[in-house]
């Protein structure tokens, strides 16, 4: 009489081969995934900064705005990964807070809850606005830490530079 073998499962060799293939795929794909995540964080920072700048420009141009941009002066917004954005207003003015509140960008406590998302290219970013004297605002962008080798800084990204140098 012939004994029949039980062929209901995988052999140990087959399981080891599948695990090895999965490990190789993980080693190859993980760095690419991390690059995509960082690109997404950088894009979030750029979108948030653009939204803030647009809100300030629209409010400055609004003839029915309750606060007007002072004829002279500067303001500064600094975004960090560790907490809420810091807003340094023009002396004696509440223009920035009024503009951000009007755009719905402030929370119930009056804080701009946007944080820096990037973990590699910049640890924080700064938006500075200067009154051009005619009701408009000129913006400059910077970051406090040095730009890592091969990376593009926040100011360059806000100016439209991409990873390919265009």
């Amino acid at each position: 009489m012939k004994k029949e073998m039980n062929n209901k499962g995988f052999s140990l060799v087959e399981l080891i081969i599948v695990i090895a293939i999965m490990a190789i795929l993980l080693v190859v794909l993980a760095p690419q995934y991390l690059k995509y995540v960082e690109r997404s964080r950088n894009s979030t920072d750029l979108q948030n900064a653009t939204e803030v700048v647009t809100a300030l420009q629209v409010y400055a141009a609004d003839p029915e705005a309750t606060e007007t941009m002072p004829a002279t002066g500067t303001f500064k917004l600094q975004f960090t990964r560790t907490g809420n954005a810091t807003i340094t207003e023009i002396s004696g003015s509440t223009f920035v807070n009024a503009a951000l509140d009007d755009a719905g960008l402030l929370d119930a406590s009056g804080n701009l809850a946007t944080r820096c998302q990037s973990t590699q290219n910049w640890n924080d970013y700064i938006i500075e606005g200067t009154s051009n004297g005619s009701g408009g605002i000129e913006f400059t962008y910077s970051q406090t830490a040095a730009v890592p080798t091969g990376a593009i800084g926040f100011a360059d990204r806000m100016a439209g530079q991409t990873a390919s140098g265009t």
Side-chain angles (χ1 to χ4, degrees), residues 78-81 116 122-126 142-145 154:
Q78 183 167 0
F79 300 82
T80 62
R81 277 189 278 162
C116 178
W122 49 79
N123 293 326
D124 65 349
Y125 57 94
I126 300 166
S142 61
Q143 63 195 59
T144 57
F154 179 75

Side-chain angles (χ1 to χ4, degrees), residues 72-96:
T72 60
T74 62
F75 59 85
K76 177 178 167 182
L77 295 112
Q78 183 167 0
F79 300 82
T80 62
R81 277 189 278 162
T82 57
N84 290 339
T86 305
I87 301 172
T88 307
E89 284 275 5
I90 301 167
S91 179
S93 171
T94 58
F95 169 78
V96 176

Side-chain angles (χ1 to χ4, degrees), residues 102-113:
D102 192 59
L105 298 176
L106 297 181
D107 62 16
S109 346
N111 293 321
L112 183 60

Side-chain angles (χ1 to χ4, degrees), residues 104-150:
L105 298 176
L106 297 181
D107 62 16
S109 346
N111 293 321
L112 183 60
T114 302
R115 290 182 173 82
C116 178
Q117 302 292 321
S118 178
T119 58
Q120 295 176 357
N121 290 358
W122 49 79
N123 293 326
D124 65 349
Y125 57 94
I126 300 166
I127 301 172
E128 291 184 83
T130 305
S131 175
N132 64 11
S134 61
I137 308 169
E138 295 176 9
F139 292 94
T140 56
Y141 311 100
S142 61
Q143 63 195 59
T144 57
V147 179
T149 305

